[in-house]
C-alpha cells in the first residue's frame, strides 16, 4: 500500500469519523435518557430520578464539548480533504448540511439554557420542557447529516454533465432511497447505545458495592429503555438489509460473501475465505439470506459476480457485519434477561454474571456502532458517490496530508484520554448518595 | 436582489455575528488567564465564567454556519480554499478543538487546572490570527494554479506586510471587543472591581485598534490597489465606524452608558466589516471566484434562502430567550440565580 494523498485522506477521514461518532452517538441518545429520567422524577416526585438526570447531564457536557469540536473538524475536513467532491456534490447536498447546522444551533441554545436553569423555574415542568428542543435538535441534526451520507450511497436529484451537477432537485437528493432506513437505523442505535452505556456504568457501580436505591432505579430505567430501543434497532436493521438487497446489492453481497445470484440464498455467519473465494468454517443458515433480503426464501439475491471486479467492496466487511449483528442480538438478550430476572421474583436480578453482562454491553454497543459504520462506508468502496465519482478522483491534490494526519491523531489521543480522566474525576469525588443528601436533604432522609 | 447578493449578505451577517461573539469569547479566555496569574480570579474569572458557560457552544455554531453556508452558496470556494488551506486550515481546527474541549474540561471538570486555562487563553489569541489568514488570502496573490493543483504560497503570506497587519488587527480587535463587552457585563453585575480592571483593558486596547485599522488600509493600498480604491469610494462607512469608536471610547473613559458603549463598538465593527466586504466584491477569492461565477445552482440557492428564513424564525426567538435568561436577567448576572 502506497501512502499517497488518497490513502492518507481516507485514513484521516476515517479516524476523525471513528472518533466523532462515539460522541455523536452519545450526543443523540443521552438527551433522551436525561429527559426520561427527569420526567419520571417530576411525575413520581422522586429525588433519585431528578438526581439521575442532573448527573447524566453533567457528564454529558464533557462529551458534548468533544462532540462539537470533532464535528467542526469533520465539517471542515470534507472540504479540505475532498475538495473535488465538495465542488460537485456541494451543489446538491448543501441543503441538508445547512439544515443540520440549524438543528445544531437550536440544540446548542436550549442545552445551554437547560444546564443553567435547574432551580430557576417554580414549575418544574418548565425545566423539563427544555429537554424537548434539545432532543429535537440533536435527533434532527443526526437526521439531516444522515441524509447526506444516504445520498452518497444512492445519489439522485441531479445529473452530471462535464463534471458539473445540473438539473438539481435538492429535496429529491435528500429523500433518496437510502434515507429512511439509514435515519431509522442511526437514531435507534444511538438511543440503544446510550441507554446501554449508562446501564453499564450503573451496573459497574453496583458491582463495586456502591449501589443503593439510586443505582437500582437507574439500572431498571436504562434496561427497560434499552430493551425497547433494541427491538426498534432490530426492525431498523432488518429494513436496512431489505433496502440493500434492492438498491445496493453489492454491499449486501460483500457482507454475506454471496457470489452467485440465486434464489434461496444461504446466510453465512462468520467463517473464513480462501484465495478462491471458497467459504470455510462457517455457520450456514440455509435460505436465510433470501429471507433477510425479501422476507421469503424464494427471493433472488444478486451476487458479487454481477459486478466488475474494480467495483466490488472489500470482502473483509463480512466480519464487521457479523459482529455488528451479533452485538445487536446480545443487547436484546441481556436487556430481556435482566427484565425477566427482575419481574420473576424468585430470581436475583443483582447477581454478578448478569451485572457483568450489562457492564460489557455498553462498550460492545459502541463497538457495534463503529463496526456498522465501517461496514456501511467501506461497503460502498470504491465509490465516494456511488455510480458517479470514485474516491480516488475526489481526494485533495495538496501536499501535507501525512503531517495533517499525524497532527489530528495526536489531538484525538489527547482529547480521548483527557475526556475519560475528567469524567472519572468528576464523579469519583462526588458519590451519588452524598449529593442526594446535600441537594434534597428532607426527602432523602 | 439577485441570488448571489442574498447569499453573500447572509454569509457576511453570520461572519459578523461570529466576529462579535467569538471575540468576546476569545478575549475572555485571555483575560481569565491574566486574572489567574494576577491573583484576581475571584472577581474576574467568576464573572467571565458566568457569562460564557451557557453560550460557548452557540459561539461555535456561528462559525460552522459560515463555512457550511459558504460551501453551499459558493461550491467553488470549497475547491480552491479546500485545496489551498489544508495545512493552515487543519491547524486552525486543532486550535479550535483544543480550546472548545479544554473549556469544558476546565469549567465542568478540573476547575483549578492552570494548564487547561493557559491553553484556553493562548488559543484565544492564536485562533483569530489563523482564521484571519483566510480573509487575507481572499485578496489574491497567495494562491497559484499549477496544472490541476492549487498551491498555497506560504512564503508570500509570511513575508507580506498586509497579512501581518491583518493578524495584528484581528488580535487587537478581539481584546478590545471583549474588554468593552465585559466592562458592560461587570457593570450590570455591580462588580466594580472587575469593571475597573476591564475598563483599563478597554482603554488600553482602544488606540491600537485604530492604529491597526489604519495599518491595514495602508498595506492594502500596496497589496491590492483595486480593492483600496473601492474602499475609498465608500469612505463614509469607515468614517461612521470611526465616529462609533470615538463615542464608545469616550463613554468608557467617563464610566457612563456602558451598554451604549458596547453597542457603539458593535456598530464600529459593523460598518468597518461591511465596508470591507462591500469593497471586496465582486471577488470572493481573487482572481478565481467572483460572486457571479462561483454561485451555486439557482434551485439550490433558492432552497437555501428559504431554509435560511425558516431557520431564522426558529433561531431569533430562541436566541432572544437565551439572552433574556443569561444576559439581560439582572439576578443571573449578579450571581443570585
Amino acid at each position: 500500500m502506497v501512502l499517497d494523498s488518497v490513502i492518507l485522506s481516507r485514513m484521516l477521514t476515517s479516524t476523525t469519523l471513528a472518533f466523532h461518532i462515539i460522541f455523536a452517538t452519545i450526543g443523540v441518545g443521552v438527551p433522551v435518557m436525561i429527559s426520561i429520567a427527569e420526567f419520571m422524577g417530576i411525575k413520581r416526585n422522586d429525588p433519585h430520578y431528578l438526581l439521575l438526570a442532573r448527573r447524566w447531564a453533567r457528564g454529558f457536557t464533557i462529551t458534548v464539548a468533544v462532540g462539537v469540536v470533532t464535528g467542526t473538524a469533520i465539517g471542515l475536513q470534507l472540504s479540505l480533504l475532498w475538495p473535488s467532491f465538495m465542488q460537485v456534490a456541494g451543489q446538491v447536498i448543501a441543503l441538508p448540511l445547512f439544515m443540520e447546522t440549524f438543528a445544531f444551533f437550536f440544540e446548542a441554545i436550549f442545552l445551554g439554557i437547560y444546564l443553567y436553569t435547574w432551580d430557576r423555574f417554580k414549575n418544574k415542568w418548565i425545566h423539563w420542557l427544555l429537554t424537548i428542543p434539545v432532543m429535537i435538535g440533536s435527533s434532527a441534526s443526526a437526521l439531516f447529516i444522515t441524509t447526506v451520507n444516504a445520498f452518497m450511497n444512492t445519489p439522485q436529484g441531479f445529473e452530471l454533465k462535464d463534471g458539473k451537477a445540473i438539473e438539481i432537485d435538492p429535496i429529491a437528493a435528500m429523500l433518496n432511497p437510502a434515507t429512511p432506513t439509514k435515519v431509522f437505523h442511526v437514531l435507534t442505535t444511538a438511543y440503544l447505545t446510550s441507554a446501554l452505556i449508562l446501564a453499564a456504568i450503573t451496573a459497574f457501580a453496583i458491582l463495586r458495592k456502591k449501589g443503593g436505591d439510586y443505582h437500582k432505579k437507574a439500572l431498571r430505567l436504562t434496561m427497560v429503555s434499552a430493551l425497547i430501543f433494541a427491538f426498534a434497532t432490530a426492525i431498523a436493521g432488518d429494513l436496512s438489509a431489505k433496502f440493500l438487497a434492492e438498491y445496493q446489492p453489492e454491499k449486501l453481497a460483500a457482507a454475506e460473501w454471496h457470489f452467485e445470484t440465486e434464489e434461496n440464498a444461504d446466510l453465512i455467519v462468520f467463517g473464513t475465505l480462501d484465495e478462491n473465494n471458497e467459504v470455510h468454517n462457517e455457520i450456514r443458515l440455509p435460505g436465510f439470506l433470501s429471507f433477510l433480503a425479501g422476507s421469503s426464501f424464494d427471493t433472488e439475491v444478486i451476487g458479487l459476480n454481477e459486478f466488475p471486479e474494480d467495483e466490488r467492496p472489500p470482502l473483509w466487511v463480512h466480519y464487521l457485519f457479523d459482529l455488528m449483528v451479533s452485538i445487536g442480538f446480545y443487547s436484546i438478550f441481556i436487556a430481556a434477561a435482566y427484565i425477566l430476572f427482575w419481574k420473576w421474583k424468585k430470581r436475583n436480578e443483582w447477581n454478578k454474571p448478569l451485572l457483568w453482562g450489562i457492564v460489557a454491553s455498553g462498550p460492545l454497543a459502541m463497538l457495534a456502532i463503529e463496526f456498522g459504520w465501517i461496514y456501511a462506508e467501506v461497503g460502498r468502496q470504491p465509490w465516494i458517490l456511488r455510480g458517479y465519482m470514485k474516491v480516488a478522483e475526489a481526494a485533495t491534490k495538496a501536499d501535507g496530508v501525512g503531517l495533517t494526519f499525524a497532527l489530528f491523531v495526536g489531538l484525538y489521543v489527547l482529547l480521548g484520554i483527557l475526556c475519560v480522566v475528567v469524567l472519572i474525576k468528576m464523579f469519583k469525588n462526588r458519590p451519588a448518595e452524598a449529593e442526594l443528601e446535600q441537594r434534597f436533604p428532607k426527602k432523602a432522609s | 436582489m439577485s441570488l448571489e447578493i442574498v447569499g453573500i449578505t447572509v454569509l457576511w451577517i453570520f461572519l459578523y455575528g461570529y466576529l462579535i461573539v467569538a471575540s468576546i469569547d476569545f478575549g475572555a479566555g485571555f483575560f481569565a488567564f491574566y486574572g489567574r496569574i494576577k491573583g484576581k480570579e475571584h472577581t474576574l474569572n467568576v464573572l467571565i465564567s458566568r457569562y460564557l458557560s451557557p453560550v460557548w457552544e452557540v459561539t461555535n455554531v456561528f462559525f460552522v454556519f459560515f463555512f457550511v453556508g459558504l460551501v453551499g452558496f459558493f461550491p467553488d470556494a470549497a475547491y480552491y480554499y479546500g485545496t489551498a488551506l489544508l495545512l493552515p486550515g487543519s491547524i486552525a481546527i486543532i486550535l479550535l478543538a483544543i480550546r472548545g474541549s479544554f473549556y469544558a474540561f476546565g469549567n465542568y471538570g478540573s476547575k483549578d487546572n492552570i494548564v487547561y486555562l493557559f491553553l484556553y487563553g493562548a488559543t484565544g489569541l492564536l485562533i483569530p490570527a489563523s482564521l484571519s489568514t483566510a480573509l487575507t488570502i481572499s485578496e489574491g496573490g497567495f494562491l497559484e494554479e499549477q496544472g490541476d493543483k492549487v498551491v498555497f504560497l506560504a512564503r508570500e503570506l509570511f513575508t507580506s506586510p498586509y497579512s501581518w497587519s491583518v493578524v495584528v488587527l484581528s488580535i487587537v480587535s478581539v481584546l478590545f471587543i471583549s474588554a468593552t463587552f465585559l466592562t458592560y457585563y461587570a457593570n450590570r453585575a455591580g462588580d466594580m472591581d472587575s469593571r475597573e480592571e476591564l475598563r483599563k483593558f478597554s482603554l488600553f486596547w482602544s488606540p491600537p485598534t485604530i492604529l491597526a485599522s489604519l495599518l491595514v488600509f495602508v498595506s492594502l493600498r500596496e497589496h491590492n490597489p483595486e480593492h483600496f480604491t473601492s474602499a475609498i469610494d465608500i469612505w463614509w462607512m469607515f468614517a461612521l465606524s470611526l465616529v462609533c469608536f470615538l463615542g464608545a471610547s469616550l463613554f468608557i473613559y467617563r464610566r457612563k452608558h456602558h451598554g451604549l458603549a458596547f453597542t457603539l463598538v458593535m456598530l464600529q465593527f459593523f460598518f468597518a466589516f461591511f465596508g470591507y466586504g462591500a469593497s471586496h466584491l465582486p471577488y470572493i477569492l481573487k482572481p478565481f471566484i467572483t460572486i457571479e461565477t462561483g454561485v451555486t445552482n439557482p434551485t439550490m440557492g433558492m432552497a437555501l434562502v428559504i431554509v435560511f428564513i425558516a431557520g431564522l424564525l426558529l433561531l431569533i426567538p430562541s436566541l432572544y430567550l437565551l439572552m433574556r435568561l443569561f444576559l439581560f436577567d439582572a439576578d443571573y448576572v449578579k450571581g443570585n440565580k
Side-chain angles (χ1 to χ4, degrees):
Chain A
M1 193 166 69
V2 193
L3 284 183
D4 57 5
S5 291
V6 181
I7 295 288
L8 285 166
S9 297
R10 287 183 62 190
M11 281 163 62
L12 178 48
T13 309
S14 25
T15 313
T16 303
L17 281 172
F19 192 67
H20 176 64
I21 54 173
I22 298 173
F23 299 93
T25 304
I26 294 173
V28 173
V30 170
V32 177
M33 297 307 298
I34 294 174
S35 181
I36 296 174
E38 195 182 357
F39 180 86
M40 303 263 289
I42 302 174
K43 188 102 212 256
R44 297 187 178 179
N45 198 15
D46 184 336
H48 284 128
Y49 288 109
L50 290 174
L51 184 67
L52 203 54
R54 270 191 196 241
R55 283 170 71 93
W56 282 347
R58 207 179 313 139
F60 183 61
T61 53
I62 302 289
T63 59
V64 165
V66 181
V68 168
V69 299
T70 51
T72 309
I74 189 64
L76 274 162
Q77 277 177 358
L78 270 184
S79 296
L80 294 174
L81 295 171
W82 312 98
S84 312
F85 165 70
M86 285 304 279
Q87 194 180 20
V88 176
Q91 304 255 12
V92 200
I93 53 172
L95 187 68
L97 284 175
F98 206 53
M99 287 164 96
E100 196 238 345
T101 54
F102 268 113
F104 174 37
F105 213 143
F106 192 61
E107 182 200 348
I109 290 174
F110 281 96
L111 187 63
I113 298 178
Y114 180 78
L115 292 174
Y116 288 90
T117 52
W118 279 100
D119 301 310
R120 206 155 156 182
F121 305 107
K122 282 207 182 74
N123 184 346
K124 284 177 182 169
W125 289 109
I126 294 181
H127 185 256
W128 175 77
L129 279 176
L130 291 167
T131 61
I132 292 175
V134 175
M135 285 190 291
I136 293 177
S138 60
S139 291
S141 56
L143 184 154
F144 291 128
I145 206 65
T146 307
T147 67
V148 173
N149 182 270
F151 169 81
M152 293 162 82
N153 282 281
T154 50
Q156 67 172 35
F158 71 107
E159 272 172 49
L160 207 57
K161 203 177 174 193
D162 307 325
K164 275 206 178 291
I166 53 163
E167 306 279 328
I168 290 166
D169 179 352
I171 305 292
M174 266 179 81
L175 302 179
N176 59 75
T179 294
T181 46
K182 252 190 199 278
V183 169
F184 187 30
H185 201 46
V186 163
L187 289 179
T188 49
T189 50
Y191 301 152
L192 170 64
T193 304
S194 303
L196 287 177
I197 285 178
L198 295 173
I201 296 170
T202 312
F204 188 69
I206 296 173
L207 279 165
R208 298 276 304 267
K209 310 266 182 242
K210 284 182 182 162
D213 283 347
Y214 167 83
H215 287 99
K216 291 184 171 172
K217 283 179 189 170
L219 195 60
R220 285 178 180 163
L221 177 69
T222 46
M223 286 320 273
V224 171
S225 313
L227 187 66
I228 296 168
F229 296 141
F231 278 126
T233 298
I235 297 170
D238 184 58
L239 291 174
S240 302
K242 291 181 173 38
F243 153 78
L244 284 181
E246 189 174 348
Y247 290 94
Q248 260 184 309
E250 78 278 17
K251 197 191 250 184
L252 185 68
E256 277 306 320
W257 290 343
H258 178 65
F259 297 95
E260 297 295 336
T261 302
E262 60 185 1
E263 291 176 8
N264 197 22
D266 298 347
L267 189 74
I268 290 166
V269 183
F270 294 104
T272 53
L273 201 64
D274 66 17
E275 55 270 27
N276 303 321
N277 286 344
E278 295 287 327
V279 185
H280 303 286
N281 308 321
E282 81 281 17
I283 307 165
R284 193 173 275 270
L285 303 175
F288 269 86
L289 182 57
S290 286
F291 193 76
L292 186 68
S295 303
S296 140
F297 292 104
D298 307 326
T299 311
E300 185 181 72
V301 186
I302 296 171
L304 265 185
N305 291 346
E306 309 288 325
F307 296 88
E309 244 174 79
D310 63 340
E311 288 182 12
R312 290 182 202 168
L315 293 171
W316 54 265
V317 294
H318 170 73
Y319 300 108
L320 297 175
F321 182 79
D322 280 0
L323 284 169
M324 170 186 81
V325 176
S326 311
I327 295 172
F329 278 111
Y330 176 74
S331 317
I332 295 183
F333 163 77
I334 196 81
Y338 174 82
I339 289 163
L340 272 182
F341 272 64
W342 165 26
K343 294 292 175 190
W344 187 14
K345 293 291 176 203
K346 282 176 198 158
R347 292 285 166 182
N348 175 18
E349 77 213 70
W350 313 110
N351 73 63
K352 271 195 178 172
L354 187 62
L355 287 176
W356 278 117
I358 295 171
V359 172
S361 73
L364 280 176
M366 194 53 93
L367 274 178
I369 295 272
E370 298 281 355
F371 294 153
W373 270 115
I374 299 171
Y375 163 58
E377 295 303 282
V378 176
R380 98 180 119 89
Q381 294 303 314
W383 301 106
I384 190 164
L385 207 51
R386 184 177 174 271
Y388 288 94
M389 189 186 248
K390 288 196 175 168
V391 169
E393 303 160 46
T396 184
K397 296 182 186 85
D399 306 319
V401 192
L403 176 62
T404 315
F405 176 69
L407 287 173
F408 275 102
V409 169
L411 174 72
Y412 301 144
V413 170
L414 179 78
L415 290 186
I417 293 173
L418 280 178
C419 181
V420 173
V421 169
V422 168
L423 278 174
I424 291 176
K425 220 174 144 188
M426 210 167 174
F427 291 101
K428 211 174 177 181
N429 301 336
R430 257 187 116 178
E433 281 71 19
E435 196 180 341
L436 198 68
E437 198 64 38
Q438 174 203 347
R439 219 181 268 284
F440 305 97
K442 278 174 225 152
K443 288 170 199 158
S445 58
Chain B
M1 211 160 37
S2 62
L3 179 65
E4 53 266 29
I5 295 292
V6 175
I8 197 73
T9 310
V10 166
L11 293 177
W12 215 239
I13 290 171
F14 269 100
L15 199 56
Y16 170 73
Y18 184 63
L19 177 102
I20 297 295
V21 291
S23 292
I24 295 174
D25 184 350
F26 291 147
F30 175 77
F31 295 136
F33 181 67
Y34 176 87
R36 173 74 66 84
I37 299 285
K38 294 272 169 180
K40 288 177 178 162
E41 49 188 327
H42 292 294
T43 51
L44 268 186
N45 292 28
V46 171
L47 180 90
I48 288 173
S49 141
R50 198 173 307 134
Y51 162 73
L52 280 183
S53 302
V55 301
W56 69 270
E57 225 194 327
V58 177
T59 306
N60 208 48
V61 188
F62 274 94
F63 178 57
V64 177
F65 227 116
F66 172 72
F67 72 74
V68 169
L70 181 71
V71 173
F73 278 108
F74 304 97
D76 283 352
Y79 177 73
Y80 284 98
Y81 272 118
T83 316
L85 290 182
L86 178 64
L87 259 180
S90 298
I91 290 170
I93 305 172
I94 289 173
L95 289 173
L96 276 171
I98 290 180
R99 188 181 156 80
S101 44
F102 278 55
Y103 174 75
F105 295 161
N107 209 48
Y108 304 107
S110 316
K111 280 217 177 350
D112 300 319
N113 196 316
I114 186 102
V115 180
Y116 292 177
L117 194 64
F118 169 74
L119 283 170
Y120 178 62
T123 48
L125 298 186
L126 291 174
I127 294 168
S130 71
L131 290 182
S132 65
T133 349
L135 280 183
T136 311
I137 288 175
S138 73
E139 294 294 338
F142 302 111
L143 296 185
E144 208 173 69
E145 244 178 342
Q146 300 171 352
D148 62 347
K149 259 182 144 178
V150 180
V151 178
F152 170 48
L153 308 170
R155 186 216 290 257
E156 304 282 324
L157 188 79
F158 278 110
T159 53
S160 149
Y162 174 69
S163 90
W164 285 108
S165 66
V166 173
V167 167
V168 171
L169 178 62
S170 69
I171 294 175
V172 172
S173 317
V174 159
L175 293 171
F176 180 62
I177 294 173
S178 187
T180 52
F181 172 80
L182 291 170
T183 309
Y184 155 68
Y185 197 71
N187 191 58
R188 267 195 77 87
D191 180 348
M192 289 308 144
D193 290 348
S194 298
R195 193 196 75 181
E196 283 308 296
E197 195 70 29
L198 290 158
R199 174 175 169 272
K200 274 186 231 154
F201 280 126
S202 308
L203 295 174
F204 182 82
W205 291 109
S206 132
T209 309
I210 281 307
L211 282 177
S213 313
L214 289 175
L215 198 64
V216 166
F217 264 106
V218 174
S219 51
L220 182 66
R221 192 175 62 185
E222 297 303 312
H223 185 82
N224 185 347
E226 206 183 328
H227 185 176
F228 179 77
T229 320
S230 336
I232 296 299
D233 288 344
I234 45 166
W235 61 272
W236 54 272
M237 295 272 278
F238 301 98
L240 277 175
S241 171
L242 185 68
V243 170
C244 293
F245 163 78
L246 292 173
S249 299
L250 187 69
F251 286 138
I252 293 168
Y253 179 73
R254 301 183 58 188
R255 295 191 180 81
K256 271 185 184 161
H257 312 300
H258 291 91
L260 181 61
F262 178 65
T263 313
L264 284 172
V265 169
M266 278 173 66
L267 285 172
Q268 171 200 342
F269 280 89
F270 179 87
F271 288 120
F273 193 67
F274 278 79
Y276 167 81
S279 53
H280 195 292
L281 292 179
Y283 289 107
I284 303 274
L285 175 59
K286 196 179 174 184
F288 305 108
I289 315 171
T290 66
I291 59 168
E292 287 92 9
T293 60
V295 77
T296 185
N297 162 293
T299 326
M300 179 51 90
M302 211 52 223
L304 288 180
V305 171
I306 292 168
V307 166
F308 176 71
I309 293 167
L312 280 190
L313 293 178
L314 189 73
L315 285 189
I316 290 173
S318 318
L319 274 174
Y320 174 73
L321 182 68
L322 186 75
M323 292 207 279
R324 263 288 299 275
L325 287 169
F326 298 109
L327 204 53
F328 300 128
D329 186 308
D331 278 345
Y332 174 80
V333 178
K334 286 181 180 142
N336 299 338
K337 272 187 183 168

